[in-house]
Amino acid sequence: MGFADQNGWSSAASLAPHLLLQLSGLTFSIPRRRIVTGSRIWPEYRWHALVFTLRSLVLMAIAVRYPHAETCLPPLLVVLCAMAAADFSHCTAWYARRGESSRTIRDLAAPAGAQYLMSATQFHATTGCLLTRGRLSVQLVSLCVIQSAAFVMTLQRRGLITHRQDLCLYAGLLGFGLAVVLDDFSARGVLPVAFTVANAAAIARLDGGANKYILWAAVGLLLPALCAPERAAARVWRVLGPASGCGLVASAWRRGHSERRLGGAKPL
């Protein structure tokens, strides 16, 4: 996308508007608590969006500065630090003490199955973050999703769209992001293995309750070896990839079926 041909200052100038846009959101006064449907910006979300915007920008800077790096350690450290910042900084801990904490997707007024699949896309994006080198498409689409989601919620706040339309647009943004991530995996020649690993991570966390720091540390350390050309080309991944994808869909269906059976579906 031209970043590799720029010097450091030109690259920084190209990325700065994304950071400035995110920082400008801190100047607005917004309600302290999230509304019931969850489709408007609230303070905790704003801080989380800033943290993950910074994650994308730092990863892009690493990719521009070291386009041919063979290790996943710098991206892994960035990913883990972003998680810690979102969990323990001024964001979640402070808002939880005030009773103002809310999970972006899991507390959204949406069917349980849709929540599950939307959450799963974040695992593919994080796997893409761990593979950051040379190509910047995953980080750019992450910025697009973060900043477009805020715009969509602003439209809902102003009454220009309904909550259902907001939900559909947000799901569409996540779907677009997933398509770009999978295209990036394909361009790197690791689509079956990376898709399988991301699906397995999602199932381990969403269904098994695995500790996310241990989970992503393990993924980050194992992924380079699994994505080595001789291993990534193994036929087993062409079986495990679709199988793990079916496992995700089955888990989403099971959650939706259980919600409908218990009559606990959230209103749209």
Side-chain angles (χ1 to χ4, degrees):
M1 299 191 66
F3 288 100
D5 300 324
Q6 300 180 21
N7 60 39
W9 290 108
S10 297
S11 298
S14 301
L15 302 178
H18 293 284
L19 178 59
L20 293 176
L21 176 61
Q22 203 64 44
L23 289 173
S24 70
L26 300 177
T27 64
F28 295 97
S29 177
I30 57 177
R32 287 168 52 181
R33 285 181 170 82
R34 190 181 191 183
I35 64 173
V36 175
T37 60
S39 55
R40 294 187 190 178
I41 298 172
W42 67 104
E44 184 186 23
Y45 171 84
R46 186 166 59 180
W47 281 106
H48 282 186
L50 177 60
V51 167
F52 290 109
T53 294
L54 288 171
R55 181 184 76 170
S56 292
L57 293 175
V58 171
L59 287 172
M60 291 171 75
I62 291 173
V64 170
R65 182 65 180 85
Y66 305 103
H68 305 298
E70 296 298 327
T71 176
C72 278
L73 285 179
L76 175 58
L77 290 175
V78 172
V79 166
L80 293 177
C81 286
M83 289 180 184
D87 283 347
F88 303 115
S89 71
H90 181 64
C91 305
T92 300
W94 189 75
Y95 289 111
R97 287 197 298 269
R98 294 163 59 98
E100 299 169 11
S101 181
S102 180
R103 299 167 299 182
T104 301
I105 293 178
R106 283 178 286 177
D107 291 330
L108 183 65
Q115 286 181 346
Y116 183 90
L117 292 177
M118 287 192 290
S119 295
T121 63
Q122 297 177 325
F123 289 81
H124 297 86
T126 303
T127 302
C129 289
L130 296 175
L131 292 173
T132 297
R133 37 182 194 274
R135 294 172 56 86
L136 305 179
S137 53
V138 171
Q139 306 314 324
L140 285 171
V141 79
S142 295
L143 290 174
C144 172
V145 171
I146 292 169
Q147 297 178 338
S148 297
F151 175 69
V152 169
M153 285 191 278
T154 300
L155 294 179
Q156 206 279 336
R157 180 178 66 83
R158 293 186 175 276
L160 299 176
I161 60 174
T162 65
H163 170 65
R164 184 186 295 270
Q165 291 168 331
D166 182 339
L167 184 61
C168 290
L169 287 171
Y170 184 49
L173 284 171
L174 293 175
F176 171 68
L178 177 62
V180 172
V181 170
L182 295 182
D183 178 71
D184 184 79
F185 291 165
S186 179
R188 296 177 188 277
V190 298
L191 175 57
V193 58
F195 183 62
T196 301
V197 169
N199 290 340
I203 292 171
R205 173 67 177 165
L206 299 176
D207 293 316
N211 180 284
K212 63 183 175 182
Y213 294 97
I214 296 175
L215 175 65
W216 285 114
V219 170
L221 294 174
L222 290 174
L223 199 58
L226 295 177
C227 289
E230 64 277 7
R231 292 191 178 94
R235 291 186 179 182
V236 65
W237 300 116
R238 301 186 184 279
V239 176
L240 293 177
S244 61
C246 290
L248 274 182
V249 173
S251 290
W253 179 87
R254 185 172 63 252
R255 291 190 178 210
H257 177 71
S258 177
E259 181 183 61
R260 290 189 299 271
R261 182 170 56 83
L262 297 174
K266 297 179 181 179
L268 296 182

